[in-house]
Amino acid sequence: MSRREVLRGAGALAGLTWGGVRVPRPRPTGGPRPRRCDELWSLPLPEPTSLRPVLAGGRVYVGVREEFLALDAGTGRRVWQQPLPRTTRGGWTAVAAGHVALMHWHSSGGKPKRPLTYLRILDPPAGTVRWEQRVYRTRSASQRRVGVFGAHAVTTICTGPDAYRVSAYRLADGTRDWSSGRHALPGGPPAPGPARLLLAAVPEGRTAVLLDLATGRPSWVRRDLALTERGAAVDLGTHLFATTRPAAVPTAAAVPAVTRLDAATGATGWQVGFGGAAVDVLAAAGGQVHIGVRGQGLHTRDAGTGGPRWHWPLPPGDLSLEQLAVGAGRVCVLSAPPGGRPATLHILDATTGAPCAAPFPDVHQGIAADDATLVFQTDDPQTGATRLLAVALA
């Protein structure tokens, strides 16, 4: 009997335990049961990694305990590795423009122990460290993010309640061109525009502003529009998409909406709300904007007009959508019940919203996709141990 047949039989029994781990009953999807995606490889993990996997250029980049690894996306073969400090507490990875930016933080080891935040730039083919330097030292820093845009690595660090610091470092030598404590990027990594611009928010009222990455100066400001806490922006061509609210309305009474902004002028192209429900996740690709709405599911809109394309409702018992990844004509989304985990991974057709594969249960946050492969962290149904699993999308 094959492993796939064993798993299928186990999932059909509601009360079965296997190796002391309860095997959940697969959720019904309606209609013909979609096939399971072909598994390519898996990598055992000692625990769910806080350095979420990134998939780029046929490589998977992931942190595992005291190592930062580059894996072949097709086979899982280790290409290179870089050591991490033994006291590493977390990290964030971005890959673009022929650079791997690794932002990691660890305890200083002193008394009191203070987290030290470092930025490391590596060469993707060989893993050679081009430069590394400390970028922040504070007790309260959180929501650390890094993005690679043009000639800069841009870091964002939450330094306190409604206080953020955004900094731009030259990829070539680590020179910091500018740093600002007046801009915030809560909810996600920096989002570039077509001219290497950065959508940000000013803490005083969270006014929407677009920054020039070369200088850190605003290109335009929208004082009537504010980003929400989950307001990370995405770009598509000459437009930006962000979760916003009216800047003049108190936060508790504000009704969130997704807004399309002209990258050159900041003008609103269209705006759509969802009855006051919060927006969990946002992604744009292939002329569409995918919007995960709390308690409702995934709404997909036309990027040009804002008109509805399709809607995928949340499965019974789930409340929120935790993460989106788009690739190979698929939309991969995590849905979770109240309290977060365990989450379920769903693979949908990007054109119709129809399920393309049976859902994967017990998935941890940290999914990545490209035009061939989907990588995510999940619990092994046989042992309960966490593993990094790669499946074929195309």
Side-chain angles (χ1 to χ4, degrees):
M1 181 180 291
S2 70
R3 179 185 177 197
R4 184 168 297 174
E5 290 171 331
V6 171
L7 296 181
R8 187 180 297 115
L13 300 176
L16 178 66
T17 60
W18 198 334
V21 179
R22 184 177 178 86
V23 180
R25 180 192 296 273
R27 294 184 173 124
T29 56
R33 185 170 181 80
R35 69 175 180 86
R36 175 72 77 177
C37 289
D38 294 330
E39 296 187 8
L40 298 175
W41 52 267
S42 66
L43 174 70
L45 300 174
E47 58 189 9
T49 175
S50 59
L51 276 80
R52 299 178 180 180
V54 172
L55 188 56
R59 299 274 179 85
V60 178
Y61 302 94
V62 63
V64 179
R65 277 196 175 170
E66 299 172 15
E67 292 182 318
F68 183 69
L69 307 177
L71 309 173
D72 183 278
T75 65
R77 178 182 61 87
R78 183 177 299 200
V79 180
W80 52 257
Q81 63 192 53
Q82 279 286 341
L84 292 173
R86 299 181 64 180
T87 53
T88 297
R89 298 171 56 188
W92 191 274
T93 309
V95 183
H99 299 81
V100 177
L102 170 62
M103 192 178 186
H104 62 93
W105 46 95
H106 59 93
S107 172
S108 63
K111 295 184 179 181
K113 295 182 178 180
R114 296 186 176 183
L116 305 177
T117 303
Y118 286 82
L119 177 60
R120 183 186 301 185
I121 304 297
L122 303 106
D123 177 71
T128 305
V129 178
R130 295 180 176 173
W131 56 266
E132 181 180 42
Q133 63 186 45
R134 192 177 73 189
V135 296
Y136 209 78
R137 176 175 180 169
T138 180
R139 294 183 187 179
S140 59
S142 62
Q143 297 187 23
R144 305 167 179 88
R145 302 288 188 267
V146 64
V148 178
F149 311 118
H152 291 88
V154 179
T155 62
T156 61
I157 302 176
C158 176
T159 60
D162 207 27
Y164 295 79
R165 179 163 296 277
V166 181
S167 305
Y169 298 86
R170 296 180 192 174
L171 290 169
D173 56 14
T175 300
R176 188 174 67 182
D177 278 342
W178 56 267
S179 185
S180 172
R182 292 182 51 81
H183 303 99
L185 285 165
R196 305 301 179 188
L197 302 174
L198 178 69
L199 188 66
V202 178
E204 297 85 354
R206 296 199 180 280
T207 303
V209 58
L210 201 66
L211 298 182
D212 186 314
L213 285 186
T215 64
R217 297 172 183 171
S219 297
W220 51 258
V221 177
R222 286 286 302 271
R223 302 191 182 281
D224 61 326
L225 204 62
L227 297 182
T228 69
E229 289 298 319
R230 303 297 293 268
V234 295
D235 73 286
L236 190 69
T238 58
H239 292 87
L240 297 162
F241 302 88
T243 309
T244 63
R245 62 173 177 80
V249 179
T251 302
V255 177
V258 172
T259 303
R260 168 177 142 156
L261 300 170
D262 185 278
T265 65
T268 299
W270 52 259
Q271 190 174 79
V272 59
F274 300 92
V279 174
D280 288 324
V281 286
L282 186 65
Q288 298 186 129
V289 182
H290 306 288
I291 308 163
V293 180
R294 182 76 53 88
Q296 297 184 18
L298 190 64
H299 294 266
T300 293
R301 298 273 173 161
D302 184 276
T305 66
R309 290 283 185 89
W310 51 265
H311 171 234
W312 176 80
L314 275 172
D318 284 349
L319 175 66
S320 61
L321 297 177
E322 301 297 323
Q323 193 177 356
L324 274 174
V326 183
R330 304 286 187 261
V331 180
C332 309
V333 60
L334 284 182
S335 68
R341 294 173 178 168
T344 302
L345 174 62
H346 308 269
I347 303 176
L348 311 175
D349 185 274
T351 303
T352 65
C356 297
F360 291 87
D362 302 319
V363 174
H364 302 274
Q365 287 198 46
I367 62 176
D370 63 9
D371 288 337
T373 310
L374 169 66
V375 179
F376 54 96
Q377 299 178 72
T378 183
D379 293 336
D380 190 297
Q382 297 184 22
T383 66
T386 302
R387 59 175 177 158
L388 187 67
L389 178 63
V391 300
L393 278 183

